[in-house]
Amino acid sequence: MTHDNTTSPTSPTSRLPTYFISHGGGPWPWMKKEMGATYDQLAASLADMPRQIGRTPKAILMVSAHWEAPAFTVQGNPKPPMIYDYGGFPPHTYEVRYDAPGSPELAQRVQSLIAAAGLPVQIDSERGYDHGMFSPMAAIYPKADVPVVQLSLRRGLDPAEHLALGRALAPLRDEDVLIVGSGLSYHNLRNFGPQAHGVSKAFDDWLDAAVVKGAPAERAGHLQNWEAAPAARMAHPREEHLIPLMVAVGAAEGDAGERVYHEDAFMGGLVVSSYRFGAV
């Protein structure tokens, strides 16, 4: 990638924040008729991200909960196709398009940063966009005019390893690349709705204390031990929707966290949140 050296890397105007977003269920942006106002608050929070960062980034690096691989794998496709990785939705949602361009140049840069950190990495030149990317991006940049590169999680879902991945990717923040972890702060599809209010609130309260109210220097330690949190395994029976948070935090180590989206009764009772790390 080309580098702009006209501003100091530590200047607040040059360094982008990172995000961990709750990306919602399936192809929700294309289901307004079916879903009504269910996603209005989430959609509004996602749509506000461009205003928060104050400019259009050169590209977005998206770490989605819906892609796991043996090694960290970077999407190198210049024109990624759609991956309809959901089931049971209306027929029209299997024809939706989000035709953002990829960026092989960014993919190479990401690969080099990860390799330099001693982490296993490869490029997949065929991989398309999954709904952990295109559903929230349809709200963030509806014109699909910002290049997006997806990066996989690594199988095993080790929190420390994904925090280390974030640290390796931190230089991208000074290169006008927005790092977004896309998951869900609560993800237990067997316990959804009003009956899950208590467990989702218990975990959400812990999460807010760990990544916003606590000292940034202590965040990584809390997240590495997330399974000890109240209702942790009730909130995340499997943690793939939480692990993108580790990447966002690792890439903004030492920076303050802020909750940028919060609902106490999503889908009738869930407590859910999204976070930003770093100054805007």
Side-chain angles (χ1 to χ4, degrees):
M1 296 186 70
T2 56
H3 294 252
D4 179 5
N5 295 317
T6 59
T7 57
S8 165
T10 57
S11 165
T13 59
S14 69
R15 175 168 291 174
L16 287 169
T18 71
Y19 284 84
F20 170 70
I21 58 171
S22 288
H23 63 222
W28 62 268
W30 293 272
M31 295 177 60
K32 181 68 176 176
K33 178 181 177 182
E34 293 87 353
M35 304 299 293
T38 300
Y39 281 98
D40 284 1
Q41 290 186 57
L42 177 60
S45 75
L46 295 170
D48 193 51
M49 286 170 59
R51 182 200 64 79
Q52 292 174 28
I53 65 177
R55 67 181 190 272
T56 302
K58 182 187 301 181
I60 293 172
L61 181 65
M62 175 76 76
V63 182
S64 166
H66 292 278
W67 187 15
E68 298 174 41
F72 292 116
T73 304
V74 194
Q75 180 186 52
N77 197 327
K79 294 183 178 179
M82 303 288 283
I83 300 175
Y84 302 115
D85 55 338
Y86 40 74
F89 289 94
H92 76 271
T93 64
Y94 298 89
E95 300 175 0
V96 301
R97 303 294 309 173
Y98 187 82
D99 291 322
S103 175
E105 183 184 23
L106 175 57
Q108 291 285 345
R109 175 66 174 144
V110 170
Q111 181 190 40
S112 68
L113 288 170
I114 297 173
L119 297 169
V121 62
Q122 62 186 23
I123 289 181
D124 184 334
S125 61
E126 303 296 324
R127 169 79 185 190
Y129 291 137
D130 62 56
H131 81 271
M133 176 278 190
F134 63 74
S135 288
M137 285 299 298
I140 301 168
Y141 289 111
K143 295 181 179 179
D145 53 357
V146 178
V148 182
V149 169
Q150 283 198 225
L151 172 62
S152 80
L153 303 175
R154 189 180 182 207
R155 288 179 190 162
L157 304 176
D158 178 43
E161 191 171 48
H162 288 80
L163 285 159
L165 172 67
R167 295 183 192 109
L169 298 171
L172 295 175
R173 298 175 58 201
D174 295 316
E175 299 169 18
D176 212 21
V177 175
L178 183 67
I179 299 170
V180 179
S182 175
L184 289 166
S185 61
Y186 177 89
H187 191 254
N188 183 345
L189 300 183
R190 295 179 180 272
N191 190 27
F192 230 65
Q195 73 275 11
H197 178 80
V199 293
S200 63
K201 183 179 188 307
F203 186 75
D204 196 86
D205 286 350
W206 174 86
L207 196 59
D208 191 54
V211 303
V212 174
K213 296 174 182 174
E218 299 174 358
R219 256 192 326 237
H222 291 312
L223 292 178
Q224 285 185 69
N225 296 304
W226 73 272
E227 288 182 87
R233 280 297 178 187
M234 289 295 291
H236 292 277
R238 191 173 184 275
E239 58 266 39
E240 80 285 346
H241 276 73
L242 182 66
I243 292 295
L245 169 64
M246 315 302 175
V247 186
V249 165
E253 205 160 37
D255 289 347
E258 182 174 343
R259 189 162 63 184
V260 293
Y261 160 73
H262 182 70
E263 288 192 61
D264 286 314
F266 178 67
M267 290 287 190
L270 296 179
V271 181
V272 290
S273 298
S274 297
Y275 297 93
R276 185 185 69 233
F277 304 96
V280 291

